[in-house]
Amino acid sequence: MKIYWFKAQAPRRVVALAKHLGIEAEYIWLDVAKGALQAPHYASLNPNLKAPTLVDGELVLWESSAIMAHLCVQAGSDMWPVSNPSEQVEMLKWLGWNESHWSPVVGNFYFEYVIKPMFGMGTPNVDKLEAKRGEFEKYASILEAHMDGREFVACNRLTIADFSLASMACYWREAHMPLEQFPNVVQWLDGLNKLDAWADPWPK
Ligand SMILES: N[C@@H](CCC(=O)N[C@@H](CS)C(=O)NCC(=O)O)C(=O)O
C-alpha cells in the first residue's frame, strides 16, 4: 500500500490514521514546491492534483474520507462503522458538515496563519479574518453545543470524523481561531492530542 502525502491538513488525517491503526504502508512524500502534484505519474493517479492519494493493489483512491474508510476496513477498525448503517448515516452527517461548513470557516484562519508562512506567501490578512469571524462563530457554536457532554464527534467513540473535523482546527492557537469561547470544542481538540499518532502524525 502506498500513501502519497505532504505536510498539510488533508494528508494529516490519513497518515495519522494509518499510524494510529498500525498499518504498514510505503509513504511517498510529494515535493510540492518542485511540482510533484503536477508530475505526470501523480496526475494520472489523482487528476485533482491534490494530496492525499492511496494506492492499494489495483485500487487508486483520492479524497481523505474515502481513504480513511478504506484503511479502517482493511484494519478491521470501528473508526469507520463498517457494519452499522445508522452509525454510517451519523458519520456521513458530520463528514458532510465538515466539508461544507466547518472546513471552509476554519480554513480561512489555517490558510492565513499556517499555509501562508509555510509557503512564503506573505503576512496574514487580519481584516479578511475579522470579516469572517461571524461565520466562524456560527459553526463553532453548533459544534460547541454538540460536544457538550461528548468526548468524540460521532458514535460515542473515536472515529474518522474526529480526524476530519480536527485536521485544521487542531492548529487553532497558532492560527488565531477565536475558539476560547467554545470550551467543549477546545477540550475535544486538546483531548485528541493525547493520541500519539495524532500529536505526531508525520512519517519519518
Ligand atoms: N477533499 C480533499 C482535499 C485535498 C486537498 O485539498 N489537499 C490539499 C492539501 S490539504 C492539496 O493537495 N493542495 C495542493 C494544491 O491545492 O495545490 C481530501 O479530503 O482529500
Side-chain angles (χ1 to χ4, degrees):
M1 184 186 299
K2 293 179 181 170
I3 296 174
Y4 293 79
W5 69 285
F6 71 100
K7 278 194 182 177
Q9 60 92 21
R12 182 188 173 132
R13 303 170 179 177
V14 166
V15 296
L17 179 69
K19 187 172 180 178
H20 184 70
L21 296 179
I23 288 175
E24 290 286 326
E26 180 187 350
Y27 292 96
I28 300 173
W29 177 69
L30 297 159
D31 193 344
V32 174
K34 291 198 175 145
L37 293 171
Q38 290 78 26
H41 175 64
Y42 189 72
S44 74
L45 298 174
N46 189 335
N48 304 289
L49 313 182
K50 309 271 187 202
T53 302
L54 172 138
V55 178
D56 189 5
E58 295 297 305
L59 177 70
V60 178
L61 202 53
W62 34 264
E63 282 303 321
S64 56
S65 295
I67 296 171
M68 287 193 291
H70 177 77
L71 293 177
C72 292
V73 171
Q74 294 306 305
S77 166
D78 68 357
M79 285 181 70
W80 168 254
V82 71
S83 54
N84 186 324
S86 62
E87 285 189 348
Q88 288 172 9
V89 171
E90 186 181 349
M91 293 289 288
L92 287 175
K93 169 183 158 178
W94 286 107
L95 294 173
W97 183 81
N98 184 47
E99 295 304 324
S100 300
H101 303 303
W102 183 237
S103 279
V105 296
V106 295
N108 289 319
F109 293 83
Y110 175 80
F111 177 76
E112 294 296 330
Y113 283 104
V114 179
I115 295 296
K116 273 189 169 178
M118 196 184 286
F119 291 101
M121 294 165 72
T123 52
N125 183 339
V126 178
D127 292 341
K128 177 187 127 183
L129 292 179
E130 198 46 45
K132 299 281 184 186
R133 195 185 172 99
E135 213 182 344
F136 177 90
E137 289 177 352
K138 170 184 170 183
Y139 291 108
S141 301
I142 291 169
L143 189 57
E144 175 70 7
H146 176 69
M147 293 311 294
D148 189 16
R150 287 190 170 86
E151 194 180 350
F152 301 109
V153 167
C155 305
N156 294 319
R157 62 176 182 275
L158 181 70
T159 67
I160 66 172
D162 295 291
F163 283 10
S164 284
L165 270 69
S167 63
M168 285 187 277
C170 68
Y171 297 94
W172 71 275
R173 289 184 176 90
E174 66 194 273
H176 300 256
M177 294 175 203
L179 273 181
E180 291 85 357
Q181 46 180 320
F182 302 103
N184 297 328
V185 177
V186 168
Q187 194 176 5
W188 160 68
L189 289 169
D190 288 350
L192 289 180
N193 276 332
K194 292 181 193 137
L195 298 169
D196 291 343
W198 184 251
D200 181 19
W202 306 115
K204 305 295 176 228

